[in-house]
Amino acid sequence: MLLNMRDDEELGRITLAQVAQEAGVSISTVSKVLNGRQDVAGQTRVRVERLLEEHAYRRTTRAAREAPLIELVFHELESVWALELIRGVEKVAKAHQASVVLTESGTRQAPGPEWIEGVLQRRPRGVVLVFSALPTEVKQRLRSRSIPFVIIDPAGDPDPDVPSVGSANWNGGLVATRHLIELGHRRIGIITGPGDMLCSLARLDGYRSAMSMAGLPADPDLVRYGDFHVEGGRERAEDLLDLPEPPTAIFAGSDLQALGTLEAARLRGLRVPEDLSVVGYDDVPLAQWSSPALTTVHQPLRQMAEEAVQMLMRLRVREPVTTRLELATSLVVRQSTATPAA
Amino acid sequence: MLLNMRDDEELGRITLAQVAQEAGVSISTVSKVLNGRQDVAGQTRVRVERLLEEHAYRRTTRAAREAPLIELVFHELESVWALELIRGVEKVAKAHQASVVLTESGTRQAPGPEWIEGVLQRRPRGVVLVFSALPTEVKQRLRSRSIPFVIIDPAGDPDPDVPSVGSANWNGGLVATRHLIELGHRRIGIITGPGDMLCSLARLDGYRSAMSMAGLPADPDLVRYGDFHVEGGRERAEDLLDLPEPPTAIFAGSDLQALGTLEAARLRGLRVPEDLSVVGYDDVPLAQWSSPALTTVHQPLRQMAEEAVQMLMRLRVREPVTTRLELATSLVVRQSTATPAA
């Protein structure tokens, strides 16, 4: 599916003057609403926004007062992903002589309502959002101002009508599990992410497909849902290692869960990789700093962020873009995996 | 020493019109230079900047068109510090209804020349710089626009005439070493940072003072200068562990060097903390995710960033601020240190 902003725009033939007349306000009031100015009464603002939406208004004079800014909006900067995404956005923004405005807002699913006014006032070249979904109102308000936006969605559950960048989660689960099978492991545990995130399910399905293709049983005892954090990883790994017939390898589903798995092994006097093989997921910088360095699935976070900004730049000049771009994942073999002890 | 911007301003009694007359240009040209606009010939810009500097011009109308932005400028986002500092700045900026503009620029010592034009155009409320030094020209250009600025300088070597926030490096070296001495260690190695950074020397001096106060010899064989990175830490730790009389504990000088030290121990079959105690420095999040979790010196990076923005806010309203604020460091004891084996 291709999104072409020109199509959108042809719907939006209503002018500012017509909106003003229909709302019974001055053109300058409509203009203030468009620019996110605070000196408009709440009811008036709501009426104008509704008319802009009804008529699918699209600003056409965007370039004139646009600022050389790219907005980057996160749910949480806490995440080990955050810095990689920031660096990717910063790199491409700089190449386009734009600066990056960083905002932390909302929940894992969608940004909070407070950030949008600031964006409308700043008039950025575009907005990159690290969320699965956007409220319809937010989409409408950005569209009516002709501010392009792209979602980076590592969880893999994007709005179909918003351009988004993700990565190949199913394939990541497949290659991690295959690597362990090729080393000779037969009992392989998995700690995937939360059960309500599509990426967790995709990685688990990749694991199951690899097991099935190798003719290995899918033992439900070996499957755990985690929370992508260290402590949760340690707890699930302890569960797996305390089974009557424990696994010889654990696919930990995230690098943080892999670090928790290393700690679970250490607490039981198990050496990694001699007694237990561990595979992470993400390949954030700490994967290579861990001791032993983690074999992990590389998720190209920085390139995902770079692609998102490139998409914005194409949207700005009204080039058609694909609505969903999935970058490849790949296995990076380091020191945490080996042939199982005989 | 107190910096009071009102004092500065009383020097700057020259008006825009006088600068324009002396430079032989229109007032609007001087205004364009002040606002970082690109449509002024290079020579004219230089002449105007020089006059602004000579007369110590200070804009007094700042508030009128100021944007609700805080600028944060880094040498490298690569650093494990970066995210902690970003989060601190973001938190206080948000409390003041301001957004954060992030720029990566320059070298470890000072920002590059290209970012300043963007800052002048955006008219932020203030600028936080993570550098030891600022070129005189940059300071002058920010001052003439009445844009306040503060340096976050974890290296501890700030310009005396710029407000800056750092932390207590000497004391950090002292408490780390004392902890190891109290556990019963006598041969204690240190991997400090690069020899050209004041923070490295301050931490080393803290180590030496702790050794000396405990009546322990300062063996120069046990002192290594590192680069604050994992790989460099591993190499220096291997040097120390390969000594004829190796240390029973290593104060690693940074959390990344501590991770390298864990890997050096693992490669030699040494268990941490049973066979070797390790202390890090910084207490970035990965310190608690390491296996074993690192005993480390907490450097309050997030609070340093928060203080820097608070200082900006006081400078904006022309409250006097101290030029140098040093926050306390403290020891966090986790699992990587223990009594030495008998």
Side-chain angles (χ1 to χ4, degrees), chain B residues 58-95:
Chain B
R58 296 288 180 275
R59 164 174 267 162
T60 52
T61 55
R62 185 195 64 208
R65 292 169 55 195
E66 184 193 72
L69 296 173
I70 301 290
E71 303 270 340
L72 175 59
V73 191
F74 274 98
H75 159 40
E76 54 165 13
L77 287 169
E78 187 94 36
S79 150
V80 285
W81 292 349
L83 197 58
E84 292 298 293
L85 295 175
I86 291 170
R87 293 176 65 196
V89 169
E90 167 75 19
K91 184 181 162 193
V92 181
K94 187 185 271 180

Short mmCIF file of all heavy atoms in Angstrom, two decimals, chain B residues 58-95:
data_model
loop_
_atom_site.label_atom_id
_atom_site.label_comp_id
_atom_site.label_asym_id
_atom_site.label_seq_id
_atom_site.Cartn_x
_atom_site.Cartn_y
_atom_site.Cartn_z
N ARG B 58 24.17 43.73 25.40
CA ARG B 58 23.28 42.72 25.96
C ARG B 58 21.86 43.01 25.50
O ARG B 58 21.32 44.07 25.78
CB ARG B 58 23.29 42.74 27.50
CG ARG B 58 24.60 42.39 28.12
CD ARG B 58 24.93 40.89 27.99
NE ARG B 58 26.21 40.58 28.60
CZ ARG B 58 27.38 40.70 27.98
NH1 ARG B 58 27.42 41.11 26.73
NH2 ARG B 58 28.49 40.41 28.60
N ARG B 59 21.28 42.01 24.84
CA ARG B 59 19.88 42.16 24.45
C ARG B 59 19.03 42.26 25.72
O ARG B 59 19.22 41.51 26.66
CB ARG B 59 19.48 40.95 23.63
CG ARG B 59 18.01 40.74 23.48
CD ARG B 59 17.75 39.59 22.52
NE ARG B 59 17.59 40.10 21.18
CZ ARG B 59 17.69 39.34 20.09
NH1 ARG B 59 18.01 38.08 20.19
NH2 ARG B 59 17.50 39.86 18.91
N THR B 60 18.08 43.18 25.72
CA THR B 60 17.23 43.30 26.91
C THR B 60 15.80 42.86 26.62
O THR B 60 15.00 42.71 27.52
CB THR B 60 17.19 44.76 27.42
OG1 THR B 60 16.84 45.59 26.31
CG2 THR B 60 18.53 45.18 27.98
N THR B 61 15.49 42.60 25.35
CA THR B 61 14.11 42.26 24.99
C THR B 61 13.95 40.75 24.83
O THR B 61 13.05 40.29 24.17
CB THR B 61 13.73 42.92 23.66
OG1 THR B 61 14.71 42.53 22.69
CG2 THR B 61 13.71 44.42 23.79
N ARG B 62 14.84 40.00 25.46
CA ARG B 62 14.87 38.57 25.23
C ARG B 62 13.52 37.88 25.37
O ARG B 62 13.08 37.15 24.50
CB ARG B 62 15.85 37.92 26.21
CG ARG B 62 16.06 36.44 25.98
CD ARG B 62 16.73 35.84 27.19
NE ARG B 62 15.86 35.95 28.34
CZ ARG B 62 16.28 36.02 29.59
NH1 ARG B 62 17.56 36.03 29.85
NH2 ARG B 62 15.41 36.09 30.59
N ALA B 63 12.85 38.17 26.47
CA ALA B 63 11.65 37.40 26.80
C ALA B 63 10.59 37.44 25.69
O ALA B 63 9.87 36.47 25.48
CB ALA B 63 11.06 37.90 28.11
N ALA B 64 10.52 38.55 24.99
CA ALA B 64 9.43 38.76 24.03
C ALA B 64 9.29 37.62 23.01
O ALA B 64 8.20 37.12 22.80
CB ALA B 64 9.63 40.08 23.30
N ARG B 65 10.40 37.22 22.40
CA ARG B 65 10.25 36.23 21.33
C ARG B 65 10.96 34.92 21.64
O ARG B 65 11.21 34.11 20.75
CB ARG B 65 10.76 36.83 20.02
CG ARG B 65 9.83 37.96 19.55
CD ARG B 65 10.46 38.72 18.42
NE ARG B 65 10.84 37.84 17.32
CZ ARG B 65 11.67 38.21 16.34
NH1 ARG B 65 12.17 39.41 16.32
NH2 ARG B 65 11.96 37.36 15.37
N GLU B 66 11.26 34.74 22.90
CA GLU B 66 11.95 33.52 23.33
C GLU B 66 11.08 32.28 23.11
O GLU B 66 9.87 32.34 23.29
CB GLU B 66 12.24 33.72 24.82
CG GLU B 66 13.03 32.64 25.47
CD GLU B 66 12.95 32.82 26.98
OE1 GLU B 66 11.87 32.56 27.56
OE2 GLU B 66 13.95 33.23 27.57
N ALA B 67 11.71 31.17 22.71
CA ALA B 67 10.95 29.93 22.51
C ALA B 67 11.06 29.05 23.75
O ALA B 67 12.09 29.06 24.42
CB ALA B 67 11.51 29.19 21.29
N PRO B 68 10.01 28.27 24.07
CA PRO B 68 10.07 27.41 25.26
C PRO B 68 10.93 26.17 25.00
O PRO B 68 10.44 25.04 24.95
CB PRO B 68 8.60 27.05 25.51
CG PRO B 68 7.95 27.16 24.18
CD PRO B 68 8.71 28.20 23.40
N LEU B 69 12.21 26.42 24.77
CA LEU B 69 13.15 25.34 24.45
C LEU B 69 14.36 25.43 25.37
O LEU B 69 14.80 26.52 25.72
CB LEU B 69 13.65 25.48 23.00
CG LEU B 69 12.62 25.34 21.88
CD1 LEU B 69 13.28 25.68 20.54
CD2 LEU B 69 12.04 23.94 21.85
N ILE B 70 14.87 24.26 25.75
CA ILE B 70 16.18 24.18 26.40
C ILE B 70 17.07 23.41 25.43
O ILE B 70 16.70 22.35 24.95
CB ILE B 70 16.09 23.38 27.73
CG1 ILE B 70 15.11 24.02 28.71
CG2 ILE B 70 17.48 23.23 28.35
CD1 ILE B 70 15.54 25.33 29.28
N GLU B 71 18.23 23.98 25.12
CA GLU B 71 19.17 23.31 24.23
C GLU B 71 20.11 22.44 25.07
O GLU B 71 20.61 22.88 26.10
CB GLU B 71 20.02 24.34 23.47
CG GLU B 71 19.24 25.34 22.67
CD GLU B 71 18.98 24.87 21.24
OE1 GLU B 71 19.70 23.97 20.76
OE2 GLU B 71 18.04 25.41 20.62
N LEU B 72 20.37 21.22 24.59
CA LEU B 72 21.33 20.33 25.25
C LEU B 72 22.34 19.91 24.19
O LEU B 72 21.98 19.32 23.18
CB LEU B 72 20.59 19.12 25.83
CG LEU B 72 21.43 18.02 26.47
CD1 LEU B 72 22.27 18.55 27.62
CD2 LEU B 72 20.53 16.89 26.97
N VAL B 73 23.61 20.26 24.41
CA VAL B 73 24.65 19.99 23.42
C VAL B 73 25.67 19.03 24.01
O VAL B 73 26.19 19.24 25.10
CB VAL B 73 25.37 21.30 23.00
CG1 VAL B 73 26.26 21.06 21.79
CG2 VAL B 73 24.36 22.40 22.71
N PHE B 74 25.94 17.95 23.26
CA PHE B 74 26.85 16.89 23.66
C PHE B 74 28.02 16.76 22.70
O PHE B 74 27.84 16.98 21.50
CB PHE B 74 26.14 15.54 23.51
CG PHE B 74 25.33 15.13 24.67
CD1 PHE B 74 23.96 15.35 24.68
CD2 PHE B 74 25.92 14.52 25.74
CE1 PHE B 74 23.19 14.95 25.74
CE2 PHE B 74 25.15 14.11 26.81
CZ PHE B 74 23.79 14.33 26.81
N HIS B 75 29.12 16.28 23.19
CA HIS B 75 30.16 15.81 22.27
C HIS B 75 29.73 14.50 21.64
O HIS B 75 29.72 14.34 20.43
CB HIS B 75 31.48 15.66 23.02
CG HIS B 75 32.44 14.74 22.34
ND1 HIS B 75 32.61 14.73 20.98
CD2 HIS B 75 33.27 13.80 22.84
CE1 HIS B 75 33.52 13.81 20.68
NE2 HIS B 75 33.91 13.24 21.77
N GLU B 76 29.38 13.51 22.48
CA GLU B 76 28.98 12.24 21.90
C GLU B 76 27.82 11.63 22.65
O GLU B 76 27.81 11.55 23.87
CB GLU B 76 30.14 11.24 21.83
CG GLU B 76 30.85 11.00 23.16
CD GLU B 76 31.73 9.76 23.12
OE1 GLU B 76 32.00 9.21 22.05
OE2 GLU B 76 32.14 9.32 24.22
N LEU B 77 26.84 11.19 21.87
CA LEU B 77 25.70 10.49 22.44
C LEU B 77 26.07 9.05 22.76
O LEU B 77 25.35 8.34 23.44
CB LEU B 77 24.52 10.52 21.47
CG LEU B 77 23.84 11.88 21.36
CD1 LEU B 77 22.87 11.88 20.20
CD2 LEU B 77 23.10 12.18 22.65
N GLU B 78 27.22 8.62 22.25
CA GLU B 78 27.69 7.25 22.45
C GLU B 78 27.80 6.93 23.94
O GLU B 78 27.54 5.83 24.37
CB GLU B 78 29.07 7.13 21.80
CG GLU B 78 29.68 5.75 21.76
CD GLU B 78 29.36 5.06 20.43
OE1 GLU B 78 29.32 5.76 19.40
OE2 GLU B 78 29.14 3.85 20.44
N SER B 79 28.19 7.95 24.69
CA SER B 79 28.51 7.77 26.10
C SER B 79 27.35 7.15 26.89
O SER B 79 26.18 7.46 26.67
CB SER B 79 28.87 9.13 26.68
OG SER B 79 28.53 9.21 28.04
N VAL B 80 27.69 6.27 27.85
CA VAL B 80 26.65 5.72 28.73
C VAL B 80 26.10 6.79 29.65
O VAL B 80 25.04 6.62 30.24
CB VAL B 80 27.17 4.52 29.57
CG1 VAL B 80 27.31 3.29 28.71
CG2 VAL B 80 28.47 4.84 30.27
N TRP B 81 26.82 7.88 29.80
CA TRP B 81 26.30 9.00 30.58
C TRP B 81 25.14 9.69 29.90
O TRP B 81 24.27 10.27 30.55
CB TRP B 81 27.34 10.11 30.73
CG TRP B 81 28.51 9.77 31.55
CD1 TRP B 81 28.67 8.69 32.37
CD2 TRP B 81 29.69 10.56 31.67
NE1 TRP B 81 29.88 8.76 32.99
CE2 TRP B 81 30.54 9.90 32.57
CE3 TRP B 81 30.11 11.76 31.11
CZ2 TRP B 81 31.78 10.40 32.92
CZ3 TRP B 81 31.34 12.26 31.45
CH2 TRP B 81 32.17 11.59 32.35
N ALA B 82 25.17 9.68 28.56
CA ALA B 82 24.32 10.58 27.80
C ALA B 82 22.85 10.45 28.20
O ALA B 82 22.17 11.45 28.47
CB ALA B 82 24.50 10.33 26.31
N LEU B 83 22.35 9.22 28.27
CA LEU B 83 20.92 9.05 28.50
C LEU B 83 20.53 9.57 29.89
O LEU B 83 19.47 10.17 30.05
CB LEU B 83 20.53 7.58 28.34
CG LEU B 83 19.03 7.32 28.16
CD1 LEU B 83 18.48 8.06 26.96
CD2 LEU B 83 18.76 5.84 28.02
N GLU B 84 21.39 9.36 30.87
CA GLU B 84 21.09 9.86 32.22
C GLU B 84 20.99 11.39 32.22
O GLU B 84 20.11 11.97 32.84
CB GLU B 84 22.19 9.41 33.20
CG GLU B 84 22.21 7.92 33.46
CD GLU B 84 20.92 7.44 34.08
OE1 GLU B 84 20.65 7.82 35.21
OE2 GLU B 84 20.18 6.71 33.41
N LEU B 85 21.92 12.02 31.52
CA LEU B 85 21.90 13.49 31.46
C LEU B 85 20.67 13.98 30.70
O LEU B 85 20.00 14.93 31.12
CB LEU B 85 23.19 14.00 30.80
CG LEU B 85 24.49 13.72 31.58
CD1 LEU B 85 25.70 14.17 30.77
CD2 LEU B 85 24.48 14.40 32.94
N ILE B 86 20.35 13.32 29.60
CA ILE B 86 19.16 13.70 28.82
C ILE B 86 17.92 13.61 29.71
O ILE B 86 17.07 14.50 29.71
CB ILE B 86 18.98 12.77 27.59
CG1 ILE B 86 20.09 13.01 26.56
CG2 ILE B 86 17.61 12.97 26.95
CD1 ILE B 86 20.12 11.98 25.43
N ARG B 87 17.83 12.52 30.48
CA ARG B 87 16.63 12.34 31.30
C ARG B 87 16.51 13.42 32.36
O ARG B 87 15.41 13.90 32.65
CB ARG B 87 16.65 10.95 31.94
CG ARG B 87 16.50 9.86 30.89
CD ARG B 87 16.61 8.50 31.51
NE ARG B 87 15.51 8.28 32.42
CZ ARG B 87 15.49 7.31 33.32
NH1 ARG B 87 16.51 6.50 33.44
NH2 ARG B 87 14.45 7.16 34.11
N GLY B 88 17.65 13.82 32.96
CA GLY B 88 17.61 14.88 33.96
C GLY B 88 17.17 16.20 33.35
O GLY B 88 16.33 16.92 33.92
N VAL B 89 17.72 16.54 32.20
CA VAL B 89 17.37 17.80 31.54
C VAL B 89 15.91 17.78 31.12
O VAL B 89 15.16 18.74 31.34
CB VAL B 89 18.30 18.05 30.31
CG1 VAL B 89 17.77 19.20 29.46
CG2 VAL B 89 19.72 18.35 30.78
N GLU B 90 15.48 16.67 30.54
CA GLU B 90 14.10 16.52 30.08
C GLU B 90 13.11 16.71 31.23
O GLU B 90 12.09 17.38 31.09
CB GLU B 90 13.95 15.12 29.45
CG GLU B 90 12.55 14.63 29.17
CD GLU B 90 11.89 15.28 27.97
OE1 GLU B 90 12.61 15.84 27.13
OE2 GLU B 90 10.65 15.24 27.89
N LYS B 91 13.44 16.14 32.38
CA LYS B 91 12.53 16.19 33.52
C LYS B 91 12.29 17.64 33.98
O LYS B 91 11.14 18.07 34.13
CB LYS B 91 13.09 15.36 34.68
CG LYS B 91 12.15 15.29 35.87
CD LYS B 91 12.74 14.49 37.00
CE LYS B 91 12.01 14.80 38.31
NZ LYS B 91 12.74 14.27 39.47
N VAL B 92 13.38 18.39 34.18
CA VAL B 92 13.21 19.75 34.69
C VAL B 92 12.67 20.68 33.60
O VAL B 92 11.86 21.57 33.86
CB VAL B 92 14.54 20.29 35.26
CG1 VAL B 92 14.36 21.70 35.80
CG2 VAL B 92 15.03 19.37 36.37
N ALA B 93 13.07 20.43 32.36
CA ALA B 93 12.54 21.24 31.25
C ALA B 93 11.02 21.08 31.19
O ALA B 93 10.27 22.06 31.06
CB ALA B 93 13.18 20.81 29.93
N LYS B 94 10.56 19.83 31.29
CA LYS B 94 9.12 19.57 31.22
C LYS B 94 8.38 20.29 32.36
O LYS B 94 7.31 20.86 32.14
CB LYS B 94 8.87 18.06 31.29
CG LYS B 94 7.43 17.67 31.05
CD LYS B 94 7.23 16.17 31.25
CE LYS B 94 7.45 15.39 29.97
NZ LYS B 94 7.25 13.93 30.17
N ALA B 95 8.98 20.28 33.54
CA ALA B 95 8.36 20.97 34.68
C ALA B 95 8.23 22.47 34.40
O ALA B 95 7.38 23.14 34.97
CB ALA B 95 9.18 20.73 35.95
#
